[in-house]
């Protein structure tokens, strides 16, 4: 009986130390290695003692007891030896075999701002985000889901499409409050198919808060492996605000930085981000945004992807206090001067998008000049209502289809 207790207790204790006390400590990887070896050795010795006492001579019985013991220990400690995902905290078998002395200590990594895969949530429509007296939504919440890759659903409707078109952007492209089948990245694909024989996947890979450099990273590290035919980029607002409050894309902001490391400012509630700070609008922001667009275009062209730029449609009031939502007023610290400078900069960025497309000879669609400025289409100064999203899809679909057909002809 004592042998059985030792067989279970000692490996379990070692496993719990390994699992609970030393998680993710690179400096102690050698200690973790020895704990794991001791755990397996103790199981082996325990089984030898048990089999000698019980008179078990069959090799198959001995091996079966070993397997059962291993599985039991792994299950109890919450450490699934044989089925653990490669992306999890550690990989038990590989960690035993891998040399530990040469393992680098991870101090920073690239931030990949992408949707969490397999989301399925009901997103509350918060009234404080709406324009004054705005009644754009006749519901309290909207369903928001993502697929296994972290793309906004509906996504890959065809398993073998003729064309795959990815959309990159921030929250105004993500369209979280808009009904699923009315979000313009998805709806534009369906409208193209109404007048074309092509099977077209239009995939929404946007995320609220992303600026153009985040999207460049997403394009390089996540989207290119899907071999898209076209990538549509819509950025402006988040670039302006990030640059105005942080002065650079390469910053220490916990939410907006391009790298993750231990020097970043402490995390804050995103709602309180930049509250109390004065934005500073510099002339060199235009150059920084222009270079980010150059990077996007180059990444696409190197990988034989058609880049398409969109200008940002806006519903900016003349005054911050005219119809702005409480959230917008707080964002600009209740300063009409800050708001006025912001309006000038976002208009300048739209002009950069148009001029960049002309300079580089790439396709551009001027949404800003095409979507009526009305609270029928916007629920705040930049985000679309259901009707606004339909309007954008109706305008985009024929324009993108022209580009697709022209690309095919070339």
């Amino acid at each position: 009986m004592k042998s059985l207790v030792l067989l279970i207790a000692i490996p379990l204790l070692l496993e719990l130390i390994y699992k609970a006390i030393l998680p993710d400590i690179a400096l102690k990887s050698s200690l973790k290695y020895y704990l794991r070896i001791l755990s397996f050795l103790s199981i082996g010795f325990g089984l030898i003692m048990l089999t000698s006492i019980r008179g078990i001579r069959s090799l198959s019985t001995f091996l079966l007891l070993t397997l059962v013991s291993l599985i039991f220990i792994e299950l109890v400690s919450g450490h699934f030896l044989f089925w653990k995902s490669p992306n999890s905290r550690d990989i038990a078998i590989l960690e035993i075999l891998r040399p530990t002395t040469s393992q680098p200590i991870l101090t920073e990594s690239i931030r990949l701002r992408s949707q969490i895969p397999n989301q399925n949530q009901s997103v509350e429509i918060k009234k404080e985000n709406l324009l004054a007296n705005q009644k754009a939504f006749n519901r309290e919440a909207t369903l928001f889901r993502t697929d296994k890759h972290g793309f906004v659903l509906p996504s890959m409707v065809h398993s073998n499409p003729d064309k795959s078109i990815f959309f990159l952007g921030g929250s105004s492209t993500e369209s979280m409050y808009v009904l699923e089948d009315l979000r313009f990245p998805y709806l534009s694909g369906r409208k193209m198919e109404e007048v074309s024989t092509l099977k077209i996947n239009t995939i929404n890979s946007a995320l609220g808060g992303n600026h153009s450099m985040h999207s460049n990273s997403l394009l390089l590290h996540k989207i290119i492996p899907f071999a898209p035919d076209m990538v549509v980029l819509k950025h402006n607002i988040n670039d302006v605000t990030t640059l105005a409050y942080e002065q650079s894309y390469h910053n220490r902001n916990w939410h907006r930085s391009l790298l993750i490391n231990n020097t970043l400012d402490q995390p804050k509630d995103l709602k309180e981000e930049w509250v109390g700070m004065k934005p500073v609008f510099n002339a060199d922001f235009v150059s920084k945004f222009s270079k980010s667009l150059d990077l996007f275009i180059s990444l696409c062209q190197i990988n034989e992807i058609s880049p398409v730029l969109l200008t940002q449609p806006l519903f900016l009031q003349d005054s911050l206090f005219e119809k702005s939502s409480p959230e917008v007023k707080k964002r600009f610290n209740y300063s009409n001067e800050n708001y006025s400078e912001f309006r000038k900069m976002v208009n300048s960025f739209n002009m950069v998008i148009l001029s960049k497309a002309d300079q580089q000879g790439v396709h551009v669609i001027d949404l800003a000049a095409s979507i009526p400025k009305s609270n029928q289409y916007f629920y705040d100064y930049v985000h679309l209502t259901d009707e606004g999203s339909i309007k954008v899809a109706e305008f985009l679909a024929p324009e993108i289809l022209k580009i697709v057909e022209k690309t095919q002809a070339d």
Side-chain angles (χ1 to χ4, degrees):
M1 185 64 185
K2 289 182 179 179
S3 299
L4 184 60
V5 171
L6 289 172
L7 172 64
I8 300 301
I10 294 176
L12 179 57
L13 178 61
L14 291 170
E15 281 290 298
L16 289 175
I17 292 173
Y18 175 86
K19 183 75 174 180
I21 299 177
L22 299 171
D24 300 325
I25 302 178
L27 290 173
K28 298 189 178 180
S29 57
S30 59
L31 179 56
K32 294 164 71 177
Y33 167 82
Y34 290 123
L35 278 172
R36 175 47 62 86
I37 292 295
L38 283 173
S39 175
F40 290 154
L41 286 177
S42 63
I43 291 172
F45 285 129
L47 283 169
I48 291 170
M49 292 172 64
L50 181 62
T51 52
S52 64
I53 291 171
R54 301 295 180 188
I56 298 173
R57 297 288 182 265
S58 169
L59 178 61
S60 60
T61 305
F62 178 83
L63 292 175
L64 179 61
L65 279 171
T66 303
L67 180 61
V68 170
S69 300
L70 284 171
I71 292 174
F72 177 77
I73 293 301
E74 295 296 330
L75 288 173
V76 172
S77 66
H79 193 85
F80 293 86
L81 174 61
F82 300 109
W83 301 282
K84 195 169 177 65
S85 165
N87 296 320
S88 300
R89 176 180 293 186
D90 49 54
I91 306 174
I93 297 174
L94 292 180
E95 191 165 274
I96 292 173
L97 301 176
R98 182 192 301 133
T100 58
T101 55
S102 61
Q103 287 183 11
I105 298 171
L106 184 64
T107 57
E108 63 182 4
S109 58
I110 295 171
R111 180 190 294 278
L112 194 66
R113 279 184 53 96
S114 178
Q115 296 284 356
I116 298 171
N118 301 315
Q119 291 185 69
N120 189 345
Q121 60 176 314
S122 181
V123 180
E124 179 188 359
I125 298 173
K126 297 178 179 178
K127 305 303 180 186
E128 65 267 23
N129 292 336
L130 306 182
L131 289 166
N133 303 317
Q134 172 64 278
K135 297 179 181 179
F137 302 103
N138 58 1
R139 57 186 181 276
E140 297 298 321
T142 302
L143 180 64
F144 186 82
R145 300 179 299 153
T146 58
D147 65 14
K148 65 181 180 180
H149 304 293
F151 300 133
V152 179
L153 286 173
S155 58
M156 299 180 182
V157 296
H158 302 293
S159 58
N160 188 27
D162 298 310
K163 296 293 177 182
S164 291
I165 301 172
F166 282 74
F167 284 76
L168 284 167
S171 56
S172 62
T173 303
E174 175 189 58
S175 306
M176 183 175 281
Y177 281 5
V178 176
L179 290 173
E180 277 193 330
D181 58 350
L182 299 183
R183 291 174 184 141
F184 73 84
Y186 166 77
L187 186 58
S188 59
R190 308 292 68 75
K191 289 190 174 296
M192 281 188 274
E193 289 180 339
E194 290 175 1
V195 295
S196 170
T197 58
L198 296 173
K199 293 185 293 185
I200 302 173
N201 278 347
T202 49
I203 299 146
N204 186 346
S205 54
L207 176 67
N210 276 5
H211 53 59
S212 61
M213 285 294 286
H214 290 136
S215 288
N216 285 334
S217 184
L218 268 177
L219 173 61
L220 178 61
H221 297 105
K222 184 172 182 176
I223 292 174
I224 286 174
F226 285 91
D229 299 286
M230 178 186 296
V231 177
V232 181
L233 184 82
K234 183 165 80 69
H235 275 298
N236 181 321
I237 294 289
N238 290 334
D239 289 75
V240 170
T241 52
T242 297
L243 291 171
Y245 286 99
E246 304 292 342
Q247 302 302 299
S248 173
Y249 290 118
H250 304 276
N251 55 64
R252 289 162 39 88
N253 184 299
W254 187 269
H255 302 289
R256 314 280 178 163
S257 65
L258 297 174
L259 296 177
I260 300 174
N261 56 48
N262 58 9
T263 69
L264 296 179
D265 295 331
Q266 290 299 310
K268 300 176 182 177
D269 185 339
L270 192 57
K271 295 178 185 178
E272 299 303 318
E273 184 183 36
W274 299 322
V275 171
M277 293 176 59
K278 178 177 174 57
V280 178
F281 298 91
N282 292 322
D284 68 341
F285 291 173
V286 168
S287 174
K288 290 176 179 178
F289 181 57
S290 177
K291 290 175 181 177
S292 183
L293 295 180
D294 282 332
L295 179 56
F296 167 73
I297 293 167
S298 296
L299 284 172
C300 286
Q301 291 177 336
I302 289 169
N303 290 279
E304 299 180 340
I305 300 166
S306 296
V308 177
L309 302 178
L310 303 183
T311 57
Q312 176 73 62
L314 301 161
F315 184 40
L316 292 169
Q317 310 300 315
D318 292 334
S319 167
L320 176 64
F321 303 101
E322 188 173 337
K323 291 182 181 179
S324 297
S325 68
E327 189 67 27
V328 171
K329 291 176 184 176
K330 186 167 68 171
R331 172 58 60 90
F332 293 102
N333 299 316
Y334 304 94
S335 167
N336 209 49
E337 179 184 357
N338 292 344
Y339 180 71
S340 177
E341 290 295 313
F342 169 77
R343 290 177 64 228
K344 291 177 185 177
M345 190 60 71
V346 294
N347 288 329
S348 295
F349 274 33
N350 271 342
M351 295 304 297
V352 170
I353 294 167
L354 293 172
S355 62
K356 180 61 62 180
D358 183 56
Q359 292 167 12
Q360 295 274 22
V362 299
H363 299 287
V364 63
I365 300 173
D366 193 1
L367 276 182
S370 308
I371 306 304
K373 297 173 175 56
S374 163
N375 61 3
Q376 178 182 359
Y377 301 122
F378 295 87
Y379 69 77
D380 65 7
Y381 65 95
V382 63
H383 297 101
L384 299 166
T385 61
D386 290 349
E387 290 183 72
S389 189
I390 294 170
K391 189 74 173 177
V392 168
E394 288 175 343
F395 180 76
L396 277 182
E399 296 297 320
I400 293 177
L401 191 57
K402 286 179 191 175
I403 298 170
V404 168
E405 291 171 345
K406 184 178 185 303
T407 305
Q408 281 186 313
D410 294 340

